[in-house]
Amino acid sequence: MKTYLVTGGAGFIGANFVLYMLDRYDDVRIINLDKLTYAGNLENLTAVEKNPNYRFVQADICDKEAVSALFREEEIDYVVNFAAESHVDRSIADPQIFVKTNVMGTVNLLQCAKEAWQVGDDTYRDGVKYLQVSTDEVYGTLGETGYFMETTPLDPHSPYSSSKASADLFVKAFADTYKFPVNITRCSNNYGPYQFPEKLIPLIMNNTLHHKPLPVYGDGMQVRDWLYVEDHCKAIDMVIRSGVLGEVYNVGGHNERPNIFIVKTIISYIKEHVDPEVGEHLITYVTDRKGHDRRYGIDPTKIKDALGWYPETTFEVGIKKTLKWYLEHKDWVEHVTSGAYQSYYQKMYEGK
Ligand code: NAD
Ligand code: DAU
């Protein structure tokens, strides 16, 4: 039995990872530590809450006492750090919480894991590993050609990506200074079930269903490289099991699409399957995001060649599965968008 400390496991990707792992393996125990911010939701985890190999702990990754206590209570083999403030627009409005959670929280986790796992000078219990879930945004932006490789210099632009790049550098510093066993994964844009509706795909879906304006930033020709969330979970599972210590792995499936294409795809799906009244008249071009990165594109050659990873879900299949999931989970969308999210939305999109 291997015990994973998964942080941020009540959010979008973290919850998908917990479900993915407990669905596939009987010899995996998951301790899910999550602060339950606006983005964390225990409803995402009802399928596993009674599983004897699962434990949920509400805590902040910045809380040294709480994290150290968990390392004393459980024999943790792996840390997988998903916990973060993850939304670029929020980071532009208020950067400080991004520094606290994404940078200081990561350093606290590293420190607690190091203290728990250390058996001698720069030596650690056999088989342990810390995996930092990072993002392609740390590389900055691409022009019309080329791809991000693991060797691409870090060049973050937003407060969010700067905080994630800083966290990556601390993970590297722990490996370089203390020979601490780590991996970093840098993935492109995920989509799929349980994504909070502040992000492009679920936001456009929700607005289309409600005949609300569809906010497209700038000219809508920014390109993102979309990956179905389960394929990201598979990559993380493989890197934990087989990744070479100290290495960074880029994760992406060559699914580059301009934002306007995504928006039009969602409109036509809803028009065909739900409501013939919706249409492209809902598209509303709005002021561009400050410092908006133009294009992301991942070169996944390393993880493919080294670990045999490949994406299983094409964009055409994945987007239909995702839109179907949101249609079947309107209650979930209602729950997570009530309360504090309403005031965020009004401030961000309606100037209130
Ligand atoms: P999310 O915002 O949906 O979820 C974040 C989770 O972290 C929530 O459950 C939240 O409650 C928890 N959290 C926040 N602050 C915390 C704290 N101080 N202590 C404990 N828990 C805390 O994010 P996501 O989209 O699922 O992203 C997860 C991770 O993957 C992040 O590190 C993000 O940078 C990275 N990532 C995301 C994408 C993407 O497309 N969404 C792509 C690549 C990498
Ligand atoms: O690339 C990985 C990153 O992808 C992750 O590290 C981040 O955590 C995740 O939030 C995501 O960042 P993006 O900024 O790319 O995702 P978002 O869904 O916010 O926006 C996707 C694109 O759509 C981006 O170019 C901005 C644009 N957009 C977004 C929103 C919310 C719009 O045009 N209108 C919108 O209302």
Side-chain angles (χ1 to χ4, degrees):
M1 180 75 78
K2 291 287 185 189
T3 301
Y4 291 62
L5 174 59
V6 172
T7 64
F12 163 48
I13 308 175
N16 275 287
F17 181 74
V18 171
L19 299 171
Y20 177 94
M21 294 298 285
L22 291 174
D23 192 43
R24 270 162 192 76
Y25 303 111
D26 293 329
D27 59 349
V28 160
R29 172 164 166 74
I30 301 235
I31 316 300
N32 181 0
L33 180 151
D34 196 298
K35 186 180 174 185
L36 297 181
T37 67
Y38 77 93
N41 185 353
L42 290 180
E43 269 182 83
N44 304 353
L45 297 152
T46 45
V48 295
E49 66 192 8
K50 297 209 167 66
N51 187 318
N53 290 342
Y54 175 72
R55 174 182 170 194
F56 178 77
V57 179
Q58 183 172 6
D60 189 326
I61 56 165
C62 301
D63 182 342
K64 187 160 196 325
E65 259 322 293
V67 177
S68 300
L70 265 186
F71 274 98
R72 286 194 296 273
E73 287 163 28
E74 305 274 353
E75 184 147 309
I76 291 163
D77 299 291
Y78 305 125
V79 174
V80 188
N81 182 24
F82 292 97
E85 289 293 334
S86 69
H87 194 39
V88 174
D89 292 326
R90 289 182 191 254
S91 82
I92 293 167
D94 181 11
Q96 294 214 17
I97 183 69
F98 285 73
V99 179
K100 183 159 189 271
T101 292
N102 299 2
V103 186
M104 295 170 71
T106 297
V107 176
N108 185 50
L109 278 179
L110 286 163
Q111 190 63 26
C112 292
K114 178 173 167 289
E115 284 169 15
W117 288 341
Q118 191 148 17
V119 290
D121 190 29
D122 291 346
T123 50
Y124 303 91
R125 221 179 77 214
D126 272 351
V128 296
K129 182 184 281 193
Y130 176 101
L131 187 143
Q132 177 73 2
V133 181
S134 187
T135 166
D136 59 0
E137 298 202 11
V138 299
Y139 297 121
T141 188
L142 292 164
E144 291 199 348
T145 57
Y147 296 99
F148 296 134
M149 302 183 62
E150 289 79 359
T151 49
T152 303
L154 303 190
D155 183 22
H157 297 130
S158 71
Y160 162 72
S161 54
S162 300
S163 70
K164 292 294 290 185
S166 307
D168 285 13
L169 291 178
F170 274 101
V171 175
K172 180 178 177 314
F174 268 63
D176 293 347
T177 308
Y178 311 115
K179 310 281 175 277
F180 191 64
V182 303
N183 281 127
I184 297 174
T185 53
R186 296 191 179 130
C187 188
S188 60
N189 283 64
N190 285 213
Y191 67 101
Y194 303 113
Q195 185 165 34
F196 194 83
E198 65 189 349
K199 306 284 168 40
L200 182 71
I201 289 179
L203 185 143
I204 295 297
M205 165 102 194
N206 199 28
N207 282 19
T208 309
L209 286 172
H210 291 93
H211 291 215
K212 284 171 72 174
L214 309 180
V216 174
Y217 299 164
D219 64 1
M221 290 307 290
Q222 303 83 5
V223 170
R224 295 294 181 265
D225 186 355
W226 295 94
L227 185 72
Y228 193 61
V229 62
E230 212 169 273
D231 283 321
H232 186 187
C233 296
K234 181 172 93 164
I236 291 172
D237 180 23
M238 291 173 103
V239 172
I240 292 168
R241 285 165 194 270
S242 320
V244 175
L245 290 180
E247 293 293 313
V248 175
Y249 295 91
N250 283 353
V251 185
H254 282 306
N255 256 310
E256 289 180 46
R257 315 278 163 155
N259 293 337
I260 193 67
F261 170 87
I262 300 287
V263 172
K264 289 182 178 174
T265 302
I266 296 171
I267 296 170
S268 63
Y269 183 91
I270 296 179
K271 194 174 179 64
E272 185 186 339
H273 294 277
V274 186
D275 180 355
E277 299 292 306
V278 305
E280 293 183 11
H281 61 278
L282 291 170
I283 294 173
T284 310
Y285 289 92
V286 299
T287 309
D288 207 353
R289 177 184 274 175
K290 286 179 193 294
H292 202 170
D293 288 335
R294 193 69 182 165
R295 176 176 160 246
Y296 300 148
I298 284 273
D299 179 345
T301 306
K302 180 171 170 179
I303 190 167
K304 282 186 164 177
D305 289 356
L307 307 183
W309 176 87
Y310 61 93
E312 290 183 23
T313 303
T314 62
F315 183 76
E316 289 64 31
V317 170
I319 192 74
K320 284 192 186 123
K321 271 168 92 165
T322 303
L323 299 177
K324 192 164 176 286
W325 186 90
Y326 277 94
L327 287 174
E328 287 165 355
H329 293 81
K330 286 187 183 148
D331 285 357
W332 181 90
V333 178
E334 288 276 310
H335 293 172
V336 302
T337 53
S338 61
Y341 180 69
Q342 288 302 327
S343 45
Y344 164 80
Y345 190 90
Q346 285 167 3
K347 209 165 151 194
M348 177 77 199
Y349 294 102
E350 293 167 358
K352 291 184 189 158

